Amino acid sequence: MLAFDQGFFAGKWVSVARRFGLDVRVEPWDPRRGVAAGAVEDILRADAKAGAEARIRAVLIVHNETSTGVTTDVRAIGEAMRASGHPALLMVDAVSSLAAMELRHDAWGIDVTVSGSQKGLMLPPGLAFVAAGPRALAARASARLPRAYWDWSDQLDFNARGFFPYTPATNLLFGLAEALEMLREEGLAHVFARHRRFAEATRAAVRAWGLETVAVRPEEASSAVTAVLTPEGHDADALRSVALERFEMSLGTGLGPWKGRVFRIGHLGHFNEPMLMGTLSCIEMALAVAGVPHRRGGVRAAMDHLERTLEA
Amino acid sequence: MLAFDQGFFAGKWVSVARRFGLDVRVEPWDPRRGVAAGAVEDILRADAKAGAEARIRAVLIVHNETSTGVTTDVRAIGEAMRASGHPALLMVDAVSSLAAMELRHDAWGIDVTVSGSQKGLMLPPGLAFVAAGPRALAARASARLPRAYWDWSDQLDFNARGFFPYTPATNLLFGLAEALEMLREEGLAHVFARHRRFAEATRAAVRAWGLETVAVRPEEASSAVTAVLTPEGHDADALRSVALERFEMSLGTGLGPWKGRVFRIGHLGHFNEPMLMGTLSCIEMALAVAGVPHRRGGVRAAMDHLERTLEA
Amino acid sequence: MLAFDQGFFAGKWVSVARRFGLDVRVEPWDPRRGVAAGAVEDILRADAKAGAEARIRAVLIVHNETSTGVTTDVRAIGEAMRASGHPALLMVDAVSSLAAMELRHDAWGIDVTVSGSQKGLMLPPGLAFVAAGPRALAARASARLPRAYWDWSDQLDFNARGFFPYTPATNLLFGLAEALEMLREEGLAHVFARHRRFAEATRAAVRAWGLETVAVRPEEASSAVTAVLTPEGHDADALRSVALERFEMSLGTGLGPWKGRVFRIGHLGHFNEPMLMGTLSCIEMALAVAGVPHRRGGVRAAMDHLERTLEA
Amino acid sequence: MLAFDQGFFAGKWVSVARRFGLDVRVEPWDPRRGVAAGAVEDILRADAKAGAEARIRAVLIVHNETSTGVTTDVRAIGEAMRASGHPALLMVDAVSSLAAMELRHDAWGIDVTVSGSQKGLMLPPGLAFVAAGPRALAARASARLPRAYWDWSDQLDFNARGFFPYTPATNLLFGLAEALEMLREEGLAHVFARHRRFAEATRAAVRAWGLETVAVRPEEASSAVTAVLTPEGHDADALRSVALERFEMSLGTGLGPWKGRVFRIGHLGHFNEPMLMGTLSCIEMALAVAGVPHRRGGVRAAMDHLERTLEA
């Protein structure tokens, strides 16, 4: 399996794969950048050339790395993989991107997409989703790793008859029907645009504060979550404590190497202007109270962006 | 009955009383000011002198006039009434003040307090509350106005046995138990201080915008709701439409003579810093989008106030 | 106002009317029988003849007297009133009949129908409904009784614009929309038939136990509630205590003169065969445990009825 | 691993184990009987003698086999295993027994107990529970089967700090706190007695109908579910359809070899006399409507049992 050093959650998949005895190649990568399609293509072409049989069976890409707020252009990677002619499967973690950013399982040539209920689908945690294309289903037939609950076969058999092989989390299924109806009513294009606009306003605030996001390229910055670096010597978790204790607001913690250096702002799902501005205002106050060096004016900058980008 | 021109909801009580044929004296009053205890005292003293028997049977005061965000010092009025020696009952509308601002039925000499579930008690609408002191209960015995559902006697009889005379809104009673527990956990003193601080931050924003609140004296400004005047020639309801359509935020409308001239900001009940700042930010944006002349900086001023007034 | 001695709730309306100073003629009536249309017609004809002007302004009929489980043929009464040529209004209490038994406000010539949310509409208590026809609306214009909250004018004015004059119990309105949708899905004819069938099964059980219902004629027996007489010397409330404490089942108490002599079985709203049979089984056990003389076999008789009356 | 032919769910565990490549010995067993402690002891003693090292590493027992309603005396098996001196772990499926029947993880010498939220704990499906004793935790350290999500290590590490390694189904955790409080209020001894009494009443009905339960010994019959055999030539699923379509009651289907031959009556969790009797009444009616040969009187027999076994 080929993976990239995208961040905490990409690392989790590597850990899962290794626990099952898979040989995982983790390509060093700047976690502040999305995975480049060219890098994937180069590695696959080299792998294909190396011998009679390609060794890489799957490429794992996290669409929206929740720990960094950096997204990867999955469409470009799908194209690069097809261009390379390499048979590896494309497996995508869409846990925090589904219903927040565009993702096209079939059109982009994804073989397996995995997601969950508790992010863009606006539900409590408790449901996971897997989409598997024909190549993935074929691979399943010859797969030899031991598996029981995670085996797709039981689900596929029962789903075809309108049932589940195991007792499902029934109440979440009712919630899912309602969530999908809400997304349909708003329209996915509008949902994506709304998230993008809120993310832009958030980054406008961060820039105005004189702080940096982990994502270095705006076009790679997540529509779902923004990870912000605190200045050297200023503990992001102390800031988070101030926000929680003083302003009743829970910010995401830094994960893995970002622990203490990063706080994360979620802006996905059922989210609107009052929630966004309430969030940014409390962060600006928390920065002041926690003594984190910053310029005022982030809230103002976010409002400017929102005012400028109203729909006609 | 003696009432004052406090605003829309005081006027509603006058209307109710007159529909029942009561002779109501509505004293002209500046609705931007709380009712002065001295004014009540003067009128009662004059009434007592006028003849053998005092004519005024009850003084109606709205504690927090929801239409103007102006509060009246009910404690001072209670003292003035006792000082006057006049036997009139003190009847207080505490619909929007209960659990948001201090109110002491017994200690302040209130005879009847009326409130509802849907404001400081954080419940859906559907419950009303009446507290009646011994003088009010005595007056009930000799009262001759026709009444059925609103007759306290049935409630008093049944409540004494732990029952209701009519089918109560049972599910709200469960909610009420939980709401009271939440208030107890936070502590009423803290609840009142929290509301006062949010109201001050709101008024700081209003001043920074260069706008005026209906309340002209800070000590009379409501902790529950702030009514803001839009500049001459600028329709408050047009602003409210912008806030709702552009920023998913519903502001209170101007009531009675304030229609189109005032918008109202609720900041009571289950309310915290993110909600307050989300509200004020969206108002500041709505002012800009609606073309209402104002200075920027209201949000900043509110944040300054919140930062300055953190508990030690 | 003309009323009949139908039972506890008819009596409540009389009490309300008298508290407002109305002159109410309460015609003695066997509460175990529905009000006869002929009796209404005779009284109205006599009233019209008595002098230049008819004295009776309104006839109050409880459609389904909840305290006795006896229904009145409101359609026949409407016809009789029209036949009499008397101008009195027909006012109907449909609190426990609406959505459980057929009732046609316009077609049956009803002038005012009153109901509530907590019976056939399957909602928590908290909403009341009034339907007023053209003659009632005209009477309102000239009515001189004092009223405020209960004045229809405010409701009519605001409802026409899609609003309420006072803060409504909003969450129940959402519930109402869902309840109406449920009734529409099942179909009112089916809803009525379902209730009728459950009431018949209940009476079959009562007969098999050797007990009597308050209602003496099957065609007048309620589809919503069945009131059952306990044998002389056997306290119905003692039986109710056994049912509650031993079998977790709450039966309705006897009201007014029926206190201790009657227990009531509700079978309306969201109710199905398992609920009905669970109810009847626990009553049969409670009868035995409480030592109330009865024959076994009520449950069996109810099952026989249900089996015999399955839809084709 | 040693397992017994207890039924559908025991078979599921065997299937899981085999999918992971474990060598499972499935001992033939009469599924209508609980697993005999002596049988376990004999096999373990033989295994220990067979060579230098015992081959059996774990004994899997389903405490309450949901497909048959047959329970196994886990305490006796724990004692037999200790008596044998064999080091195999005792692993118990308590999915449908937890909080319905007595089970003592530590006192009975169980090494691993597994359960779920959706049975005796009265919650929606979505939580699973694992209790692991010291011997199981030690075995984990040397276990070599690949595992990731199901690895206890992550849970143990995070739980010790009050956290979860993965996003938990948070709303069910709130429900769990409430469910445990309900069980505590009633008292576990009373909960178990309540379930036992309802199961006995159910079996009294089955006997009266002239039908047979799958469980052949009363002391092994489940307190949580009763599986009933339909007579030869009578499809249990046709009966279930009648119950559902005619009486709005969903009975459990026959699983595995019992398909079409068995229907199952659940009587666990938040369950009382009206629910039980509603259930049994509708089954008795469904038997008649579906034309399944039976004697009437099951409902009567269940009532007799309930009346006879009231608490003093």
Side-chain angles (χ1 to χ4, degrees):
Chain A
M1 191 177 102
L2 172 65
F4 290 78
D5 220 355
Q6 291 184 268
F8 187 78
F9 290 101
K12 286 276 188 189
W13 289 110
V14 170
S15 158
V16 169
R18 286 189 170 147
R19 290 190 190 194
F20 280 97
L22 295 181
D23 178 10
V24 185
R25 170 172 169 185
V26 183
E27 195 66 16
W29 196 258
D30 177 359
R32 301 180 66 174
R33 294 291 319 278
V35 176
V40 176
E41 189 170 348
D42 291 350
I43 293 168
L44 293 183
R45 286 194 189 274
D47 180 62
K49 262 186 234 159
E53 203 193 347
R55 292 197 61 234
I56 297 171
R57 307 286 280 271
V59 177
L60 179 97
I61 298 292
V62 175
H63 184 204
N64 178 68
E65 171 60 56
T66 312
S67 65
T68 59
V70 175
T71 60
T72 282
D73 185 345
V74 171
R75 185 194 338 217
I77 287 176
E79 283 166 7
M81 286 177 67
R82 284 195 295 280
S84 76
H86 192 286
L89 299 174
L90 174 55
M91 306 175 83
V92 173
D93 169 343
V95 170
S96 58
S97 65
L98 193 74
M101 284 167 272
E102 189 173 35
L103 180 81
R104 298 186 175 267
H105 179 82
D106 291 327
W108 295 359
I110 305 174
D111 295 294
V112 181
T113 302
V114 173
S115 193
S117 57
Q118 78 277 24
K119 300 281 185 183
L121 289 172
M122 306 175 286
L123 293 167
L127 289 180
F129 302 92
V130 177
R135 299 203 313 150
L137 293 174
R140 169 188 61 114
S142 58
R144 289 185 314 268
L145 276 187
R147 60 202 184 275
Y149 185 78
W150 304 120
D151 193 337
W152 300 342
S153 306
D154 295 328
Q155 292 286 352
L156 288 166
D157 289 355
F158 279 78
N159 287 181
R161 287 174 276 146
F163 288 96
F164 287 85
Y166 317 113
T167 308
T170 37
N171 56 339
L172 290 179
L173 295 175
F174 287 100
L176 180 60
E178 189 65 27
L180 293 176
E181 185 54 32
M182 288 167 68
L183 291 169
R184 244 181 251 124
E185 270 181 29
E186 183 175 352
L188 272 185
H190 194 276
V191 171
F192 297 154
R194 173 167 57 86
H195 285 105
R196 192 179 318 114
R197 181 168 168 253
F198 289 164
E200 288 163 358
T202 301
R203 294 198 303 277
V206 173
R207 278 191 306 273
W209 289 326
L211 301 180
E212 258 184 85
T213 59
V214 174
V216 290
R217 297 207 175 177
E219 68 272 22
E220 292 173 353
S222 170
S223 288
V225 60
T226 298
V228 184
L229 290 154
T230 45
E232 198 66 36
H234 289 275
D235 183 7
D237 285 338
L239 174 72
R240 291 176 57 246
S241 292
V242 166
L244 185 59
E245 286 159 24
R246 293 304 196 169
F247 305 114
E248 289 207 353
M249 195 180 51
S250 173
L251 294 165
T253 189
L255 292 163
W258 305 107
K259 184 75 184 163
R261 298 172 54 204
V262 150
F263 64 92
R264 290 174 303 128
I265 308 166
H267 34 69
L268 87 168
H270 188 253
F271 204 75
N272 63 11
E273 282 86 353
M275 293 185 210
L276 173 64
M277 293 313 307
T279 302
L280 297 177
S281 298
C282 288
I283 293 172
E284 187 160 323
M285 291 192 287
L287 288 166
V289 173
V292 176
H294 71 290
R295 289 194 304 269
R296 289 168 155 213
V299 170
R300 181 69 258 167
M303 291 196 288
D304 287 344
H305 182 82
L306 292 178
E307 289 176 25
R308 261 199 316 270
T309 53
L310 289 169
E311 288 176 32
Chain B
M1 190 177 102
L2 171 65
F4 291 79
D5 219 356
Q6 290 185 269
F8 187 78
F9 290 100
K12 285 276 189 190
W13 289 109
V14 171
S15 158
V16 170
R18 288 191 169 145
R19 291 191 190 192
F20 280 98
L22 295 181
D23 178 10
V24 185
R25 169 172 170 185
V26 182
E27 196 64 17
W29 197 258
D30 177 358
R32 301 180 65 176
R33 292 292 317 278
V35 176
V40 176
E41 190 171 346
D42 291 349
I43 293 168
L44 292 184
R45 286 193 190 274
D47 180 61
K49 263 184 235 161
E53 205 192 346
R55 293 196 60 235
I56 297 171
R57 306 288 278 271
V59 178
L60 180 97
I61 298 292
V62 175
H63 184 203
N64 179 68
E65 172 59 58
T66 313
S67 66
T68 59
V70 175
T71 60
T72 281
D73 184 345
V74 171
R75 185 197 335 220
I77 287 176
E79 284 167 5
M81 286 178 66
R82 284 195 296 279
S84 75
H86 193 286
L89 299 175
L90 173 55
M91 305 174 84
V92 174
D93 168 343
V95 170
S96 58
S97 65
L98 193 73
M101 281 168 274
E102 190 173 34
L103 180 82
R104 297 186 175 267
H105 180 82
D106 291 325
W108 294 1
I110 305 173
D111 295 295
V112 181
T113 303
V114 173
S115 193
S117 58
Q118 78 277 23
K119 300 280 185 183
L121 288 173
M122 306 175 285
L123 292 168
L127 289 180
F129 303 92
V130 178
R135 299 202 314 150
L137 293 174
R140 169 187 61 114
S142 58
R144 290 186 312 267
L145 276 187
R147 59 201 185 276
Y149 185 78
W150 304 121
D151 193 337
W152 301 343
S153 306
D154 295 328
Q155 292 286 353
L156 289 166
D157 288 355
F158 278 78
N159 287 182
R161 288 175 275 146
F163 288 96
F164 288 84
Y166 316 114
T167 308
T170 36
N171 56 339
L172 290 180
L173 294 175
F174 287 101
L176 180 61
E178 189 65 26
L180 294 176
E181 184 54 33
M182 288 167 68
L183 291 169
R184 243 180 252 125
E185 270 181 29
E186 183 175 351
L188 272 184
H190 193 276
V191 171
F192 297 154
R194 172 166 58 84
H195 286 104
R196 192 179 318 116
R197 182 169 168 251
F198 290 166
E200 288 163 357
T202 301
R203 294 198 303 278
V206 173
R207 278 193 305 272
W209 289 327
L211 300 180
E212 257 184 85
T213 59
V214 174
V216 289
R217 297 206 176 176
E219 67 273 23
E220 291 173 352
S222 170
S223 288
V225 62
T226 298
V228 184
L229 289 154
T230 46
E232 199 63 39
H234 290 276
D235 182 7
D237 285 337
L239 174 72
R240 291 175 56 247
S241 292
V242 167
L244 185 59
E245 285 158 26
R246 293 303 197 169
F247 304 114
E248 290 207 353
M249 195 178 54
S250 173
L251 292 165
T253 188
L255 292 164
W258 305 107
K259 183 75 185 161
R261 298 172 55 206
V262 149
F263 64 91
R264 292 175 303 129
I265 308 166
H267 34 68
L268 88 168
H270 188 253
F271 204 75
N272 63 11
E273 283 86 352
M275 293 185 210
L276 174 64
M277 294 313 307
T279 302
L280 297 177
S281 299
C282 288
I283 293 172
E284 188 161 323
M285 292 191 287
L287 288 167
V289 173
V292 176
H294 71 290
R295 290 195 303 269
R296 291 169 153 211
V299 169
R300 180 69 257 167
M303 292 196 287
D304 286 346
H305 182 81
L306 292 178
E307 289 176 22
R308 261 199 315 270
T309 54
L310 289 169
E311 289 176 29
Chain C
M1 191 177 102
L2 172 65
F4 291 79
D5 220 356
Q6 291 184 269
F8 187 79
F9 290 101
K12 287 275 189 191
W13 289 109
V14 171
S15 158
V16 170
R18 288 191 169 146
R19 291 191 190 193
F20 280 98
L22 295 181
D23 178 10
V24 185
R25 169 171 169 186
V26 183
E27 195 66 16
W29 197 257
D30 176 359
R32 301 180 66 175
R33 292 292 319 277
V35 176
V40 175
E41 190 171 347
D42 291 348
I43 293 168
L44 292 184
R45 286 194 189 274
D47 180 60
K49 264 185 233 162
E53 202 192 350
R55 292 197 60 234
I56 296 171
R57 307 288 278 271
V59 178
L60 180 97
I61 297 293
V62 176
H63 184 204
N64 179 67
E65 171 59 57
T66 313
S67 65
T68 59
V70 175
T71 60
T72 282
D73 184 344
V74 172
R75 183 192 342 213
I77 287 176
E79 284 167 7
M81 287 177 67
R82 284 196 296 280
S84 76
H86 193 286
L89 299 174
L90 174 55
M91 306 175 84
V92 174
D93 168 343
V95 170
S96 57
S97 65
L98 193 74
M101 281 167 273
E102 189 172 36
L103 180 81
R104 298 186 175 266
H105 179 82
D106 291 327
W108 295 0
I110 306 173
D111 295 294
V112 181
T113 302
V114 173
S115 194
S117 57
Q118 78 276 23
K119 301 281 184 183
L121 289 172
M122 307 174 285
L123 293 167
L127 289 180
F129 303 92
V130 177
R135 299 203 314 150
L137 294 173
R140 168 188 62 114
S142 58
R144 290 186 313 269
L145 275 187
R147 59 203 185 274
Y149 185 79
W150 304 120
D151 193 338
W152 301 343
S153 307
D154 295 328
Q155 292 286 353
L156 289 165
D157 289 356
F158 278 78
N159 287 181
R161 287 174 276 146
F163 288 95
F164 288 85
Y166 316 113
T167 308
T170 37
N171 56 340
L172 290 180
L173 295 175
F174 286 100
L176 181 60
E178 188 66 25
L180 294 176
E181 184 55 33
M182 287 166 68
L183 291 169
R184 243 181 252 123
E185 270 181 29
E186 184 175 350
L188 273 185
H190 194 276
V191 171
F192 297 154
R194 172 167 57 85
H195 286 104
R196 192 178 319 117
R197 181 168 168 252
F198 289 166
E200 288 162 357
T202 302
R203 294 198 303 278
V206 173
R207 278 192 306 272
W209 290 326
L211 301 180
E212 259 184 83
T213 59
V214 174
V216 289
R217 296 206 177 178
E219 66 273 24
E220 292 174 352
S222 170
S223 288
V225 61
T226 297
V228 184
L229 289 154
T230 45
E232 199 64 37
H234 290 276
D235 182 8
D237 286 338
L239 174 72
R240 292 175 57 246
S241 291
V242 166
L244 185 60
E245 285 158 25
R246 292 304 196 169
F247 304 115
E248 290 207 351
M249 194 178 54
S250 173
L251 293 166
T253 189
L255 292 164
W258 305 107
K259 183 75 184 162
R261 299 172 54 206
V262 149
F263 64 92
R264 291 175 303 128
I265 309 166
H267 35 69
L268 87 168
H270 188 253
F271 203 75
N272 63 11
E273 282 86 352
M275 293 184 211
L276 173 64
M277 294 313 308
T279 302
L280 297 177
S281 299
C282 288
I283 293 172
E284 187 161 324
M285 291 191 286
L287 288 167
V289 173
V292 176
H294 71 289
R295 290 194 303 270
R296 291 169 154 211
V299 168
R300 180 69 258 165
M303 292 196 288
D304 286 345
H305 182 82
L306 292 178
E307 288 175 26
R308 262 199 313 270
T309 53
L310 289 169
E311 289 176 32
Chain D
M1 192 177 100
L2 172 65
F4 291 79
D5 219 354
Q6 290 183 270
F8 187 78
F9 291 100
K12 285 276 189 190
W13 290 109
V14 170
S15 158
V16 169
R18 285 187 171 148
R19 290 189 191 195
F20 280 97
L22 295 181
D23 178 9
V24 185
R25 169 171 170 186
V26 183
E27 196 65 16
W29 196 258
D30 177 358
R32 301 180 66 176
R33 292 293 318 279
V35 176
V40 175
E41 190 171 347
D42 290 349
I43 293 168
L44 292 183
R45 285 192 190 274
D47 180 62
K49 261 184 233 158
E53 204 192 347
R55 293 198 60 235
I56 297 171
R57 306 287 278 271
V59 178
L60 179 98
I61 298 292
V62 175
H63 184 204
N64 179 66
E65 171 61 56
T66 312
S67 66
T68 60
V70 175
T71 59
T72 281
D73 184 345
V74 171
R75 186 196 336 219
I77 287 177
E79 284 166 6
M81 286 177 67
R82 284 196 295 281
S84 76
H86 193 286
L89 299 174
L90 174 55
M91 306 174 84
V92 174
D93 169 343
V95 169
S96 58
S97 65
L98 193 73
M101 282 167 274
E102 189 173 36
L103 180 81
R104 298 187 175 266
H105 180 83
D106 291 327
W108 294 0
I110 305 173
D111 295 295
V112 181
T113 302
V114 172
S115 194
S117 58
Q118 79 277 24
K119 300 281 184 182
L121 289 172
M122 306 175 285
L123 293 167
L127 289 180
F129 303 91
V130 178
R135 299 203 314 151
L137 294 174
R140 168 188 62 113
S142 58
R144 289 187 313 269
L145 276 187
R147 61 202 182 274
Y149 184 79
W150 304 120
D151 193 336
W152 301 343
S153 306
D154 295 328
Q155 292 286 354
L156 288 166
D157 289 355
F158 278 78
N159 286 182
R161 286 175 277 145
F163 288 95
F164 287 84
Y166 317 113
T167 307
T170 37
N171 55 342
L172 289 180
L173 294 175
F174 287 101
L176 180 60
E178 189 66 26
L180 294 176
E181 184 54 33
M182 288 167 68
L183 291 170
R184 245 181 250 123
E185 270 181 28
E186 183 175 352
L188 273 185
H190 194 276
V191 171
F192 297 154
R194 173 167 56 86
H195 286 103
R196 193 179 319 115
R197 181 168 168 253
F198 290 165
E200 287 163 358
T202 302
R203 294 198 302 278
V206 173
R207 278 192 305 273
W209 290 325
L211 301 180
E212 257 184 85
T213 59
V214 174
V216 288
R217 297 206 175 177
E219 68 272 22
E220 291 174 352
S222 171
S223 288
V225 62
T226 297
V228 183
L229 288 154
T230 45
E232 199 64 37
H234 291 275
D235 183 7
D237 286 337
L239 174 72
R240 291 175 56 246
S241 292
V242 167
L244 185 60
E245 285 158 27
R246 292 303 195 170
F247 304 113
E248 291 207 352
M249 194 179 53
S250 173
L251 293 165
T253 189
L255 292 163
W258 305 107
K259 184 76 184 162
R261 300 172 53 206
V262 150
F263 64 92
R264 291 175 303 128
I265 308 166
H267 34 69
L268 88 167
H270 188 253
F271 204 74
N272 63 11
E273 282 86 352
M275 295 184 209
L276 173 65
M277 293 313 309
T279 302
L280 297 177
S281 298
C282 289
I283 292 173
E284 188 161 323
M285 292 192 287
L287 287 167
V289 174
V292 177
H294 71 289
R295 290 195 302 269
R296 291 169 154 214
V299 169
R300 182 67 258 167
M303 292 196 287
D304 287 344
H305 183 81
L306 292 178
E307 288 176 25
R308 261 199 315 272
T309 54
L310 288 169
E311 288 178 30

